[in-house]
Amino acid sequence: MHRIRSFISLLCVALNVGLFVTSTTASHDRIRTPESGDIEPVNDNDGPVNDNDMPVNDYDPIHPIVAVRLPPLVTARLDPIVNPGQCSSHVHSVFGAASFGDTITDADLMDPIETSGNVVPNRSLYWAPSMYIYDPSTALYHLVPTHARAYYRVQNRFKDVTNPFPLNFRVVIGDANRKTRYYPGEERDNVYWTQRGKRPDSNSQDHSSWGEFIASHGLDAGTFIEMKTVYPECVAVDAYGRPLLDSPDHRSHVQYIRRQQPCPPEFPYRVPMLDIEFRYELDKMWETLDPKVVQNPQNWFLSTGDRTGAGAHSDFISGWNTAVLDEAIQTCVGGNAENGCLLSPFFQQPRNVDMQKRVALLKEMPHEEVSPLKELLIYPDASCPEPRPLPPPSQRPTAYPTTAAPSVRPTYSLRPTSSRRPTKSPESSSPTMFCFDDPSWFTINARGKARTCAFISNQKPEDRSSLCERNGEDFRKGKEACPRSCSNCK
């Protein structure tokens, strides 16, 4: 009898262990983290960006802020971070603010600058190497169309200590000079390749080259491949506790951390998690090239001359209105209006066609063709041709209006930030210098409604003058924060 009881006890222990292992394995199959080599699956449908695009999980709660759709802005041989004031050594596909050029100032990232993205207060710039397909029959390189998405998230446990990106904050990740695949365990930034239709299976950080994910998962016909770039969350600060906007190598002022870990003392300023997906649309190349040519990775090139994809890299300049992003960190869940998200009124409509959006460039680009090419435009000395003149206004694309004032806005107040390290915010220092309205300013009327600069600009002159004399929540008068709308430019 004693032996039977012992056997039953051992059997129960074994069953409990088995159930625990099964439950744990199932949990980790559902939840993929960068440390395990994967990222949470993202909904790839072409509908509106919403909570379903950035799922929250219970194991490692993520607080999604917003997913920004980014139609292409321009393809040009410029890089204002690495090669300011001159051309770049290779061609980039660029997304975001229409002020992109060989240099970027604070004013280039503020209202009323247009953006190719669908969220107006975000005038950030994003760019990556362009991709080309070589056609052996014509000996020409053909540019692959590209679009992008930028996902901003916050870990729930660190939400209260997460700061907005400072204006004109800059980072470059990846190695543009790399032309051979990385070896297992070799140190590198969190940049990897995947493809539509095979997530989350192909969403592995181990895929430093496109050959690796194709070898593991094959290549679907008529799809796009994707360069995934995951940015560090922790930023170094100066002697006054202000975040560093850049560093000599454009990388050493930021630091990766493992999920659920606080930022180290050397990099104490925490910013949102930023994942950018650059999507190279191979399916559209079938319209001009033989599908067999398109589907053969031997014909794929990055604009750097890299044939492996290991030279993937990405640049980011923040053009967020810091006050708006700061509030969004606390209130937004995927930009869902039902949760009182501050960003909801700023989504440009119609969102179901925003990938077709075009905006007019404000600066001249290098006067050179980028496709098709007999040779890739690779210039190690960053030599530059004459600029291409801007077309007359009548020939420029008509963009959606960037003024997105909500007709009804719930009462809110910005979260106090005194407990966190100060943010260098040129937006609030002297917005009238360039005669730009400050989109973060608002005043509350007697009925508890928020009135912004954009609201003032839409009023009759007699109503506008009284609003311009009102004090905002930051104690500035409307005419000081909204010089354009209040006709107070100096």
Side-chain angles (χ1 to χ4, degrees), residues 8-82:
I8 292 174
S9 298
L10 288 172
L11 181 60
C12 290
V13 170
L15 287 172
N16 286 336
V17 170
L19 289 171
F20 173 77
V21 171
T22 303
S23 175
T24 303
T25 303
S27 175
H28 281 278
D29 283 343
R30 292 194 304 269
I31 301 142
R32 305 174 185 274
T33 67
E35 286 69 52
S36 66
D38 295 297
I39 298 294
E40 299 91 326
V42 176
N43 185 351
D44 254 329
N45 61 57
D46 293 326
V49 178
N50 54 40
D51 288 348
N52 295 326
D53 286 326
M54 299 185 293
V56 179
N57 61 65
D58 295 328
Y59 173 75
D60 186 12
I62 299 297
H63 178 77
I65 304 173
V66 65
V68 182
R69 292 187 174 196
L70 295 162
L73 176 70
V74 68
T75 301
R77 194 163 55 86
L78 293 178
D79 188 330
I81 296 181
V82 178

Side-chain angles (χ1 to χ4, degrees), residues 276-294:
I276 309 174
E277 299 171 351
F278 298 94
R279 299 174 174 182
Y280 300 91
E281 303 172 57
L282 298 180
D283 52 332
K284 292 187 177 179
M285 300 302 293
W286 286 31
E287 301 170 6
T288 55
L289 298 177
D290 185 337
K292 293 181 179 179
V293 172
V294 176

Side-chain angles (χ1 to χ4, degrees), residues 133-142 288-290 293 372-374:
I133 292 179
Y134 179 73
D135 184 358
S137 66
T138 60
L140 293 175
Y141 295 88
H142 296 264
T288 55
L289 298 177
D290 185 337
V293 172
L373 300 172
K374 292 183 178 180

Side-chain angles (χ1 to χ4, degrees), residues 359-362 390-399:
V359 297
L361 290 168
L362 301 179
L390 290 173
S394 60
Q395 298 179 16
R396 299 181 194 179
T398 301

Side-chain angles (χ1 to χ4, degrees), residues 320-348:
W320 276 98
N321 176 286
T322 54
V324 172
L325 182 58
D326 190 40
E327 178 71 3
I329 289 171
Q330 299 299 310
T331 65
C332 296
V333 179
N336 191 327
E338 296 178 359
N339 295 313
C341 175
L342 179 68
L343 296 177
S344 299
F346 294 99
F347 278 102
Q348 292 187 330

Side-chain angles (χ1 to χ4, degrees), residues 69 97 141 217 234 267 303 305-306 459:
R69 292 187 174 196
Y141 295 88
H217 304 283
C234 300
F267 299 86
S303 55
D306 173 32
Q459 303 307 302

Side-chain angles (χ1 to χ4, degrees), residues 388-429:
R388 186 193 306 273
L390 290 173
S394 60
Q395 298 179 16
R396 299 181 194 179
T398 301
Y400 300 149
T402 59
T403 301
S407 56
V408 178
R409 183 72 183 91
T411 301
Y412 67 92
S413 59
L414 293 179
R415 179 169 55 94
T417 57
S418 58
S419 62
R420 294 179 293 165
R421 295 183 178 271
T423 304
K424 183 180 180 182
S425 179
E427 296 159 287
S428 59
S429 58

